[in-house]
Amino acid sequence: MRAIRRFTVRTVLPPELAALEELAGNLRWSWHQPTRRLFEEVSPELWEASHDPIATLGAVGATRLAELADDADFVGRAEALREDLRRYITEPRWYQSVTDAPSAIAYFSPEFGLAAALPQYSGGLGVLAGDHLKAASDLGVPLLGVGLFYRAGYFRQSVSSDGWQQETYPIQDPDGLPLTVLRGADGAPVQVALALPAGTLFARVWQAEVGRVKLLLLDTDIPENTEALRGVTDRLYGGWGEHRLLQELLLGIGGVRAIKAYTDLTGARFPKVFHTNEGHAGFLGLERISDLVAGGGLTFEQALEVVRAGTVFTTHTPVAAGIDKFERGLVERYFSADLLPGVDAPDVLPLGAEDYPGGDPDVFNMAVMGLRLAQRANGVSRLHGEVSRELFAGLWPGFDPDDVPITSVTNGVHAPTWTDPILQRLAADKLGRSDTTDAAWAADALSDADLWAARGAMREQTVIDARRRVRRSWQEQNPGSVVPAWMKEVLDPEVLTIGFARRVPTYKRLALMLHDEDRLRSILTSAERPVQLIIAGKSHPADDGGKRLIQRLIQFADDPELRRRVVFLPDYGIGMAQKLYPGTDVWLNTPLRPYEACGTSGMKAALNGALNLSILDGWWAEHFDGENGWAIPSSDGAADAAQRDALEATALYDLIEHQVAPRFYDRDGNGLPTRWLKSVRHTLASLSPRLSAERMVREYVERLYTPAGQAAARLSADDYSLGREVTEWKDRVRAAWSGAQVLHVESEGLASVPRVGDELQVRAQVQLGALSPDDVSVEVVYGASSEGDMLTRTTHVALNPLPGSAGTGKRGPATVTFAGSVTLTSPGSFGYNVRIVPRNDALASPAEMGLIAVAS
């Protein structure tokens, strides 16, 4: 008989163990090893089954709790850890030394991957968001996270006997998770409400403590909602169309309202900067505009300027097909009701309009809205920044892709979460510190034998965990059957181990390794240099193509000759990943370049000393140096996709067979692979600092949050006086821009044969119409001149108006002459042009307004 309702009954702890409840309630335990060891001591068996303090405490018997309560040493250690947590939460950290930084920052994401015990994520986007919160906590950044609470999370993956992915959706009981309800002064749960065309949507607010960072999660599964609306937060990415729109309206608009409720109740500072992690939360800008229109007396356009100044938008997709889009009419219907006072559909629709060449006039594009509502935007790796500038160039017509105002902050991963305890202990014992993100790994104090022993121990625990998961999967497929004996010998802790784990969309090319099955078989079963593969990943429930890739791989691995050399582990998630990454010798990544925005799985492996074997895409394109792994050549010039796959698969096999495996198995007289360990040391010493989430969050603070906070403060001061002025100035410049032209350009100063060091004198006669020289910047743009006279690697130099140069031009209104010089600094082809762009201290980029006039 099925239960009609489930809930969790929490254990009542003896007073002596009160510290455990506080420690379990703060997710710092997910990355703080002393706290994890303490909970493991409560019950090693229960801890191993869940790695969840709340689950462990909920299942341990009263007798054991009484024993622990009588154990003065255990009680003392628990209380010391509680004091350490309180100190960690309150003490000044890095951010408290940063000048002019925002007093509070809101970080919105549709998913957060913090721990296996809180399954509110699907993949890399969510895990990145979780790592962002953890690193912010460690650095003391006053971040406030906002997301949704999904009752069924993403999905649990299993595979049928023929290898087909199957999905189940276990219901999550928030009372059994490290969450508490946000309650008002009267003790009642706080709710936010959205006025929808078909009724009011209510949401309860759950709180999670992530070190010193608070995370608010909105939940619609409450009695105040109709049955249909209770299901708005049912599953992560579980629906499309109107269901997805409702989720995103709740995340953005409801999320800001949850922040207002939280700050009113707690006295916490209201955020000065809002960071939108992907377009899903983009509607948050409209709620803030509505507040300024209704409460600040601003027009929609004035409020938009103020909101934009304090908003940061991060895009994670390298392809237009990966962006959330809604039917224009659907969005119009929701904003034609009473959803946002002072914000009407005619105000909203242009923000998401694809009103550029190649755009679809019938859709509302969430990424486009995100870019229009944010003055600062970024991609998540250097290459992804370039791809994003190309992808969204239509929003800034006339500008070269390099001028599109989208920068990049390469993702990072939270080292304390993803560095194995074995490696942390090695660093503490041999290097004197448990912080693994510095260059000390190259120190002589760490012998090759020490490092190899640690790598071997991590590989062995990965093999043990994989065997356990393979057996469990078999038992789920064959309940009551005897587990085959060969499953006890799956994988070998002495064999070169390659890992591959990620979501399974087509562009990630899970099956590239299977392109030549005979060649792969030969590599795996080599008598002298055997190789083993551990593979994991989920396909989206609606992606049958991805499911077929998984099925093909499982069927390949089911060959009796290969069973001990290749395994597929179902239900990839944080718990599996924390055991898988450290024990792999090589991390494999074979995306179709340039469709991997960043790809942080290889980063997590590298933090543990694994070497990467990857297409030069995402983060690997900027960090590969020839010693930290291998680059699989990209065959961009192939005739078609099939030929490209064939060429890149052959390159992959060649690298494994002729470079990777020989380096791993080449041993000295002590049995140590000294050449391999040189690469491991180099990887740990050089990549650990650069791949850390702390480095990433520092970049966000210094390059995006702080400038955004300062801009928002300037526009908001004195009753938004500058915000009003900037709006009027932009309106005036837009109206007059058609009168701006470069009439004539001339140059002098060069010898008949220009040489490096020569100075090029440039004079430009421009017509400004109703604009003044103070409204514009007239710039010479120069660089290498390539085929078709296109400029590359450009530099901009501002020209200055010559005193008394205003006059009447042959083509009409007054003209002004601007002049300046350019020093030739490098040999080769050279070209230049002159452009006019708007100029105002409130602009974050010359391209911000999308206005440009270029000499022809």
Side-chain angles (χ1 to χ4, degrees):
M1 181 181 297
R2 288 189 63 186
I4 61 171
R5 187 176 173 221
R6 288 177 62 229
F7 56 88
T8 300
V9 180
R10 293 207 183 192
T11 299
V12 178
L13 296 173
E16 296 84 353
L17 300 180
L20 293 181
E21 189 160 9
E22 190 169 333
L23 291 169
N26 190 305
L27 280 157
R28 189 179 77 142
W29 60 256
S30 67
W31 73 89
H32 190 247
Q33 292 302 324
T35 304
R36 293 175 67 84
R37 289 194 292 271
L38 183 78
F39 283 110
E40 183 179 16
E41 194 174 335
V42 172
S43 171
E45 297 80 13
L46 292 172
W47 178 257
E48 180 60 30
S50 67
H51 291 278
D52 178 355
I54 292 176
T56 298
L57 294 177
V60 72
T63 302
R64 176 57 178 159
L65 290 176
E67 290 175 359
L68 293 171
D70 289 338
D71 185 338
D73 178 66
F74 181 87
V75 170
R77 283 185 286 122
E79 291 177 347
L81 283 170
R82 177 175 61 182
E83 290 307 308
D84 179 74
L85 173 62
R86 291 174 176 176
R87 191 164 50 248
Y88 167 85
I89 290 172
T90 57
E91 68 185 0
R93 302 184 78 82
W94 169 79
Y95 192 84
Q96 282 62 53
S97 67
V98 178
T99 57
D100 298 325
S103 57
I105 301 152
Y107 180 88
F108 281 63
S109 179
E111 51 176 303
F112 286 90
L114 291 157
L118 190 60
Q120 298 291 302
Y121 64 96
S122 71
L125 177 69
V127 174
L128 170 76
D131 283 4
H132 197 107
L133 265 56
K134 294 173 184 178
S137 174
D138 290 341
L139 292 169
V141 180
L143 206 68
L144 179 61
V146 181
L148 301 181
F149 177 75
Y150 305 95
R151 287 285 172 150
Y154 190 42
F155 68 86
R156 184 178 181 277
Q157 178 197 47
S158 60
V159 292
S160 65
S161 58
D162 65 350
W164 191 254
Q165 173 180 293
Q166 298 174 317
E167 303 94 22
T168 55
Y169 294 87
I171 300 300
Q172 305 296 320
D173 176 17
D175 290 321
L177 300 173
L179 300 172
T180 57
V181 173
L182 179 64
R183 296 185 181 276
D186 59 356
V190 168
Q191 292 183 356
V192 298
L194 276 67
L196 305 178
T200 302
L201 174 66
F202 297 95
R204 178 180 296 173
V205 182
W206 295 96
Q207 306 173 91
E209 306 284 346
V210 187
R212 57 197 290 158
V213 166
K214 183 82 70 174
L215 171 62
L216 307 179
L217 300 174
L218 281 67
D219 175 14
T220 61
D221 189 13
I222 55 177
E224 289 79 358
N225 283 324
T226 64
E227 192 62 32
L229 292 180
R230 289 185 71 155
V232 167
T233 55
D234 54 355
R235 299 175 183 175
L236 176 59
Y237 307 140
W240 194 244
E242 190 164 10
H243 185 267
R244 179 73 69 86
L245 177 62
L246 285 169
Q247 288 188 340
E248 300 191 2
L249 290 169
L250 178 63
L251 175 58
I253 298 170
V256 176
R257 293 177 183 178
I259 288 176
K260 287 185 278 193
Y262 171 77
T263 54
D264 286 346
L265 279 169
T266 64
R269 293 179 175 177
F270 191 79
K272 301 298 183 184
V273 171
F274 284 73
H275 183 176
T276 307
N277 191 36
E278 252 310 339
H280 308 78
F283 291 120
L284 71 86
L286 298 179
E287 168 70 5
R288 295 167 60 213
I289 288 172
S290 175
D291 287 341
L292 292 174
V293 172
L298 302 183
T299 65
F300 180 90
E301 291 74 17
Q302 292 167 344
L304 173 60
E305 288 302 322
V306 175
V307 166
R308 286 185 72 254
T311 302
V312 174
F313 174 72
T314 297
T315 174
H316 290 262
T317 180
V319 290
I323 298 170
D324 275 5
K325 302 177 184 180
F326 299 103
E327 293 180 5
R328 179 184 172 91
L330 181 64
V331 175
E332 183 175 25
R333 179 162 67 88
Y334 273 87
F335 284 95
S336 296
D338 299 323
L339 181 59
L340 288 176
V343 176
D344 299 318
D347 300 317
V348 174
L349 293 176
L351 294 172
E354 293 187 353
D355 50 358
Y356 44 80
D360 184 345
D362 296 325
V363 303
F364 185 92
N365 185 310
M366 293 297 289
V368 167
M369 179 179 70
L371 290 165
R372 285 174 170 154
L373 283 174
Q375 194 174 39
R376 289 164 178 82
N378 69 283
V380 291
S381 70
R382 189 179 301 161
L383 178 59
H384 181 236
E386 296 173 10
V387 171
S388 297
R389 288 189 286 275
E390 291 276 1
L391 179 63
F392 295 109
L395 296 177
W396 292 273
F399 285 89
D400 293 335
D402 286 349
D403 293 322
V404 168
I406 301 175
T407 185
S408 62
V409 176
T410 301
N411 285 342
V413 295
H414 187 241
T417 295
W418 297 108
T419 305
D420 194 88
I422 293 172
L423 206 62
Q424 292 184 29
R425 289 194 294 271
L426 179 65
D429 293 344
K430 301 296 181 179
L431 305 176
R433 56 184 305 183
S434 57
D435 178 7
T436 60
T437 60
D438 62 24
W441 290 107
D444 293 337
L446 185 66
S447 71
D448 278 357
D450 292 331
L451 187 55
W452 186 239
R455 291 289 311 147
M458 290 189 288
R459 191 185 313 109
E460 182 176 23
Q461 76 176 5
T462 295
V463 169
I464 291 170
D465 186 65
R467 288 173 177 171
R468 179 179 64 82
R469 293 177 185 277
V470 168
R471 289 196 301 271
R472 187 173 67 190
S473 178
W474 170 271
Q475 289 167 335
E476 289 179 355
Q477 293 173 12
N478 307 276
S481 300
V482 177
V483 176
W486 63 266
M487 287 192 176
K488 298 178 182 178
E489 301 174 0
V490 166
L491 306 178
D492 184 335
E494 301 299 325
V495 167
L496 170 62
T497 303
I498 298 178
F500 181 104
R502 53 192 35 86
R503 291 183 303 110
V504 191
T506 305
Y507 79 87
K508 291 184 182 283
R509 296 195 296 181
L510 169 67
L512 185 69
M513 65 183 78
L514 299 177
H515 185 81
D516 184 340
E517 294 186 7
D518 291 337
R519 179 94 186 265
L520 179 60
R521 185 190 311 272
S522 173
I523 292 171
L524 295 172
T525 59
S526 168
E528 295 182 0
R529 296 168 178 160
V531 176
Q532 59 193 13
L533 281 168
I534 305 177
I535 303 164
K538 291 180 174 180
S539 175
H540 188 280
D543 182 7
D544 283 352
K547 293 179 184 180
R548 280 191 288 272
L549 294 179
I550 292 173
Q551 184 180 46
R552 181 183 169 193
L553 178 71
I554 291 173
Q555 291 173 346
F556 173 77
D558 199 41
D559 184 330
E561 185 185 11
L562 297 174
R563 285 172 175 169
R564 293 170 177 80
R565 288 288 179 263
V566 56
V567 296
F568 178 84
L569 305 180
D571 208 31
Y572 177 48
I574 288 176
M576 179 195 297
Q578 288 178 313
K579 291 290 180 67
L580 175 57
Y581 298 138
T584 54
D585 299 294
V586 173
W587 195 258
L588 177 64
N589 193 19
T590 54
L592 191 65
R593 177 185 163 100
Y595 296 146
E596 181 81 280
C598 184
T600 57
S601 60
M603 293 181 170
K604 294 159 192 163
L607 287 185
N608 290 280
L611 308 184
N612 275 265
L613 173 60
S614 176
I615 296 287
L616 283 173
D617 201 4
W619 74 276
W620 189 235
E622 67 193 78
H623 286 300
F624 167 67
D625 64 9
E627 184 61 41
N628 51 20
W630 296 267
I632 303 169
S634 296
S635 300
D636 299 348
D640 53 37
Q643 186 186 52
R644 180 172 184 168
D645 285 354
L647 291 170
E648 293 181 6
T650 299
L652 168 62
Y653 300 139
D654 287 344
L655 283 168
I656 295 174
E657 200 166 21
H658 302 304
Q659 295 190 41
V660 180
R663 187 180 299 185
F664 180 85
Y665 285 108
D666 183 17
R667 308 295 167 89
D668 67 6
N670 296 315
L672 299 174
T674 54
R675 180 65 185 87
W676 183 274
L677 289 171
K678 178 185 176 183
S679 294
V680 172
R681 283 180 185 275
H682 176 77
T683 293
L684 290 170
S686 63
L687 288 184
S688 294
R690 289 184 282 166
L691 300 185
S692 78
E694 285 198 7
R695 183 274 310 155
M696 172 187 71
V697 172
R698 284 175 189 254
E699 279 198 53
Y700 273 108
V701 168
E702 293 166 352
R703 295 175 48 207
L704 295 170
Y705 294 164
T706 297
Q710 293 169 344
R714 288 196 300 270
L715 265 63
S716 301
D718 300 325
D719 191 30
Y720 308 103
S721 60
L722 184 57
R724 300 173 200 267
E725 289 177 17
V726 168
T727 305
E728 294 173 5
W729 176 84
K730 283 189 172 183
D731 288 344
R732 178 173 62 82
V733 169
R734 287 191 185 100
W737 193 256
S738 61
Q741 298 180 56
V742 181
L743 299 177
H744 178 68
V745 177
E746 59 187 33
S747 62
E748 58 185 27
L750 295 182
S752 57
V753 179
R755 299 179 183 276
V756 172
D758 288 353
E759 219 172 60
L760 175 70
Q761 305 291 333
V762 178
R763 295 165 62 93
Q765 187 181 40
V766 303
Q767 178 178 291
L768 297 179
L771 299 173
S772 78
D774 291 337
D775 292 325
V776 301
S777 179
V778 178
E779 301 170 347
V780 57
V781 183
Y782 66 93
S785 180
S786 61
E787 186 176 348
D789 293 330
M790 293 301 297
L791 296 178
T792 60
R793 302 191 302 277
T794 56
T795 301
H796 307 146
V797 173
L799 304 178
N800 299 310
L802 296 180
S805 66
T808 302
K810 295 179 181 179
R811 302 186 193 178
T815 63
V816 181
T817 300
F818 286 72
S821 64
V822 172
T823 302
L824 307 185
T825 58
S826 57
S829 65
F830 178 89
Y832 74 95
N833 202 336
V834 172
R835 72 179 190 179
I836 310 172
V837 291
R839 182 181 66 187
N840 190 295
D841 289 343
L843 300 180
S845 160
E848 182 174 314
M849 295 176 65
L851 300 176
I852 187 170
V854 180
S856 58

